[in-house]
Amino acid sequence: MDLNADLGEGFGVWRLGDDEALLSVVTSANVACGFHAGDPPAMRRVCAEAAARGVAVGAQVGYRDLAGFGRRRIEYAFGDLRDDVLYQIGALDGFCRVAGSRVRYVKPHGALYNVAAVDEVQAAAVVAAVVDYDRSLPVLCPPGSVLAQLAAGAGLRAVGEGFADRGYQSAGTLVPRSAPGALVTSPDEVAERVVRMATASEVVAVDGTVLRLPVESICLHGDTPGAVDLARHVRSALAAAGVAVTPFSRGVEAPQD
């Protein structure tokens, strides 16, 4: 099982989360590309540290929405969103290559993640950007989503993702952050959920419904209270359950000299 976290989400003098500590726990880093959060110095720093630690880097692409942290839906023309996503992948890949690595997957952030899960136009724009840039890049997304279906239809690898610290609704979508049950912060509960996802491909929704959730990667949000301790607790629980923790993108080819 892969463990991923959102990193590099500060901007200028503002920092969000403990990137360095999380890089010692996770196997994949979703790095903000400057649209919803992040800036060039942060992108360079996180890419360099991830390369040094053997952590896979993914482009966390989002809406052009620094003020709203990419959590507000924006209506885009297909071509505009495709090119915004393509721009972000290329920018992050530049910093990866300086560090001797490369971008190894793409994951939408925030509102774009949720909208592309159900909206064919926005999902298709994300897929088109990945196809244009590099068909070998997997797309990290909700299993069974519109984005997963379109990515697979375009010949891309769609990687199912689960959330350790977010509540699920009975329909399989995440509980809105403004609603009760959106965040799960108990270390034991988070660890139990993750082990169940990894070993049984299941998660329990807030109403008690048991959902089928076939995932290859589990996300730990860096801005969840106690994120680093949660991540360490989760990794220990997976080890205790006999689950190996490794990047899902291991098979993506390295850059050629």
Side-chain angles (χ1 to χ4, degrees):
M1 180 58 65
D2 174 67
L3 290 179
N4 76 74
D6 302 342
L7 303 179
E9 289 191 314
F11 185 78
V13 299
W14 289 276
R15 291 286 187 95
L16 181 65
D18 189 339
D19 292 343
E20 290 75 13
L22 283 169
L23 281 169
S24 70
V25 182
V26 300
T27 46
S28 296
N30 318 315
V31 182
C33 301
F35 274 35
H36 76 277
D39 55 25
M43 293 161 70
R44 183 173 190 133
R45 170 178 53 81
V46 176
C47 288
E49 292 175 0
R53 295 172 183 263
V55 175
V57 169
Q60 189 180 34
V61 297
Y63 289 141
R64 193 187 293 265
D65 181 28
L66 280 175
F69 196 61
R71 288 179 175 161
R72 304 179 294 189
R73 176 172 182 155
I74 298 177
E75 299 301 331
Y76 269 86
F78 170 86
D80 291 342
L81 181 56
R82 176 201 60 207
D83 293 345
D84 271 6
V85 171
L86 179 61
Y87 181 96
Q88 293 174 78
I89 299 170
L92 187 68
D93 198 31
F95 289 112
C96 284
R97 290 176 184 272
V98 167
S101 182
R102 60 164 292 186
V103 165
R104 294 188 178 273
Y105 63 94
V106 175
K107 174 186 172 178
H109 165 81
L112 177 57
Y113 185 95
N114 294 328
V115 174
V118 297
D119 184 282
E120 290 192 6
V121 173
Q122 296 209 8
V126 172
V127 169
V130 178
V131 168
D132 284 349
Y133 191 80
D134 185 347
R135 285 181 172 271
S136 75
L137 295 179
V139 177
L140 191 56
C141 55
S145 63
V146 170
L147 178 56
Q149 295 169 24
L150 293 185
L156 304 177
R157 179 184 172 194
V159 176
E161 179 184 35
F163 289 87
D165 47 15
R166 290 294 311 278
Y168 279 84
Q169 301 182 105
S170 59
T173 54
L174 296 178
V175 176
R177 284 182 175 269
S178 59
L183 293 179
V184 183
T185 57
S186 164
D188 289 340
E189 184 178 358
V190 169
E192 181 183 358
R193 284 160 54 87
V194 168
V195 170
R196 186 166 182 171
M197 288 180 198
T199 60
S201 298
E202 294 177 347
V203 68
V204 179
V206 290
D207 67 352
T209 302
V210 177
L211 303 174
R212 175 75 176 161
L213 196 73
V215 299
E216 298 179 63
S217 183
I218 296 174
C219 179
L220 298 155
H221 283 97
D223 58 347
T224 295
V228 175
D229 288 338
L230 281 177
R232 290 172 177 154
H233 198 62
V234 162
R235 183 143 188 173
S236 295
L238 287 171
V243 178
V245 179
T246 184
F248 70 82
S249 56
R250 186 177 296 279
V252 177
E253 294 183 0
Q256 301 297 313
D257 294 330

